[in-house]
Amino acid sequence: MINQEVLDLIIAAIILSAIWAQLGTFMSHKVRIVTIQSILLSVYIIVLGIWNSDIELVILGILIIILRAFLTSTFLNAKLSPDQFVSRERFGDASFLSVVSILILIFSFITYRILFTPLGYETIGDGGFALLFQGLFLIGSRKSKFSQFLGYMEEENAIVMLGLGIISMPLVIEISVLLDVLALLIVSTVIISDKPESQVFEEMMG
Amino acid sequence: MIIDGTYAIVLMLSIPVISGISYFFRHFREISIAMAFITLLFTSYVFLFNTGTYSYFYLNNINRYILICVSSIYVFSVIYGSGYHRKLGESKHLRIHMSMIGIFAFTMLFSLVINNLGLMWIGIEGTTASSAILIIIEGEAADMEAAWRYIIIVSAGLSIALISIILIYRVFGTLEITTLLSASSQPSQILFLAALFGIIGFGTKGGIFPMHSWLPDAHGRAPSEISAMFSAVLLPIAVYAIYIIIKTVDITLIFQAGVFFSIITVLFVALVMASQRDIKRMFAYSTMENMALILLGFVLGGVALFGSILIIMTHAFAKAGAFYSSGNLIESFRTRNMAGIQNVWGEQRFTAYTLILSTLAVSGAPPFGTFLGEFFILSALYSHGLGSVMAFLAILLVIIFLSVNYKVLKMVFSIAPPAFTGKISAQQISITGATVSVSAIFAFLFMVGIL
């Protein structure tokens, strides 16, 4: 019972980190928040793996720390300006964004309960579904390519959580997904470094 | 057979990866072209094998044809690209570009033959990472923006497809495609969700409305040989992934969802096509139309499935020809805007021919295979008791046909003072002609009973 409560606490912390990432303006802070989120997720997986004596989960958790938490933040930080005010994101009304984030959170909790009821309720799955929508909102609501990529990272974390709630995928698939995301990150940093914000081109309309 | 099936497939997959080392050689163009040719030879060899499983791989009567298309367009694009980018000389950018085309071809071939839905997803996601770099060879700000939109929208969409795969794994306990296709299951809410997430997720990569928004940007800004690879073979692979999921789930609600997404995609294209100004964006929207028709054929099955295969093959070569022709015109007239491209008949006679023929082929004019494919799909709609949907779709197809062909004919035959035209390389001209010629043979192969 206590064990489950500890795990639920980690899930709550992951969701809080997603809300925090919505509201942060300094990009270096945001990268740190998503790194913390990935570490929390890997801690969850490692603890679950130890309790269930599942070595595959432990390996997955360790790989998430190395590939997603450590390498990702290293790549992204390398592209950020050392002056945090230079890489500060400017967006509209923070209070509006926070309200929308909370509404999306409530919507995702309700939707999960309606859609995934036949599979039985799992807190980690519910948390993953909520994080998925937070990631999508981060991608859709920002012009900063860094923010959009962090939204994508949240989405990938969400898929891992959702997968744990539904069924653990074979380790080879999980590792390949992690490596795929890393490859995508490397390609993305090449593109991000040119113009850090999305632009509007007349020729790309219509 | 001289080489065992599994080894032949492994060799087919390995050669494009090995071509990546061309980066380190002075004759990187020649090495890339030679490797692409060898890949096509091995693919043709694999095509001769019986359908079935070969260790971790499998062949069926759909992926075999797409394999041939991938390898052929890979060869055509490498040759075309070596001419199109000749001004870049032996620059690092061009070396990376030529190397990455091989990696891109590998990810596509791998996605098609791997007998595991999870690894297929990884292959398709891999196509995004390998091809995004190919868009930005010219390094313009708009190219960067298009590549970024491509990465972020497609990756976000494919994440949704991964949920579909997790749900399928939960229900069936396996991701082996051959097992999934032969398994039977009771219709359930979870399976419906799996299929819906699959259509939306893989549909993002396949250019299915409403997650298509990356498509015109990426096709419009990519170099022509890459637009050709995207449109001709990459998108059909994503639609093929949807086919696997639909066949696995096989419930009535998904049949209806598949028909809905296909029709709404064609409707969207019919609405926006007339207002297009950029020649490559126009052909990108035409690709959406064709992908929607292929999806519709996959959903309907039977004769419509055969129609889809005909469209895949004819469209692959015809659309490559259309993009190569567009590349020739962009290079000559120094603009992508169709208003600035005039009197092609007077200035670029051979490109005028290839442009007209390829446009007729991609828009479904008789006697091209796309026309036959559309006919089979429309008749299947009617035989499923969807006569009104068939009539509506036919009207939309006519609107798109008229919009595209009017714009192309206007470019070709409009009278204008002589414009400055850049010289097109021999590779570009010959490859453009070759692709358009190949696109014309599929209807003939069908009529003589070979296909």
Side-chain angles (χ1 to χ4, degrees), chain B residues 244-313:
Chain B
I244 300 285
I245 288 177
I246 287 174
K247 291 314 269 183
T248 300
V249 173
D250 202 17
I251 50 179
T252 315
L253 260 176
I254 280 307
F255 170 83
Q256 291 164 348
V259 172
F260 171 77
F261 279 111
S262 303
I263 300 294
I264 203 163
T265 302
V266 180
L267 172 65
F268 174 78
V269 174
L271 290 174
V272 299
M273 190 59 96
S275 62
Q276 292 311 304
R277 289 166 293 173
D278 182 313
I279 183 169
K280 287 176 74 186
R281 287 177 76 87
M282 177 183 76
F283 283 124
Y285 281 115
S286 157
T287 302
M288 280 179 69
E289 174 213 5
N290 282 287
M291 293 309 118
L293 288 170
I294 292 167
L295 175 62
L296 189 56
F298 282 161
V299 171
L300 294 169
V303 70
L305 180 63
F306 182 69
S308 287
I309 295 171
L310 260 178
I311 293 179
I312 286 172
M313 301 212 64

Side-chain angles (χ1 to χ4, degrees), chain A residues 57-128:
Chain A
L57 282 180
V58 177
I59 294 170
L60 178 64
I62 293 168
L63 283 172
I64 287 177
I65 287 186
I66 296 168
L67 298 177
R68 195 162 287 172
F70 176 69
L71 279 179
T72 302
S73 58
T74 307
F75 274 115
L76 287 174
N77 281 323
K79 291 290 171 187
L80 283 172
S81 167
D83 181 355
Q84 64 174 1
F85 283 93
V86 172
S87 55
R88 187 179 183 183
E89 186 183 26
R90 284 164 184 81
F91 55 85
D93 195 346
S95 56
F96 171 75
L97 281 176
S98 57
V99 170
V100 175
S101 295
I102 301 294
L103 287 175
I104 290 172
L105 194 66
I106 295 165
F107 164 79
S108 55
F109 284 146
I110 295 169
T111 314
Y112 181 83
R113 279 166 173 76
I114 296 169
L115 292 181
F116 292 88
T117 310
L119 293 177
Y121 181 78
E122 289 283 348
T123 322
I124 182 80
D126 201 352

Side-chain angles (χ1 to χ4, degrees), chain B residues 48-122:
Chain B
L48 299 175
F49 288 120
N50 294 326
T51 56
T53 54
Y54 295 88
S55 184
Y56 296 108
F57 311 107
Y58 87 112
L59 292 172
N60 64 21
N61 278 327
I62 301 175
N63 69 2
R64 285 199 311 171
Y65 289 105
I66 309 179
L67 280 174
I68 286 287
C69 292
V70 171
S71 293
S72 306
I73 300 299
Y74 172 35
V75 173
F76 286 139
S77 285
V78 170
I79 300 172
Y80 183 91
S82 67
Y84 190 66
H85 300 297
R86 63 191 179 282
K87 293 188 190 77
L88 293 174
E90 293 177 9
S91 68
K92 189 180 159 191
H93 279 92
L94 187 56
R95 284 168 185 269
I96 293 174
H97 188 77
M98 298 304 264
S99 298
M100 289 305 288
I101 289 181
I103 307 295
F104 180 37
F106 158 74
T107 52
M108 288 192 285
L109 294 170
F110 175 83
S111 306
L112 281 169
V113 291
I114 193 72
N115 190 16
N116 183 296
L117 196 56
L119 293 176
M120 186 186 195
W121 182 91
I122 284 153

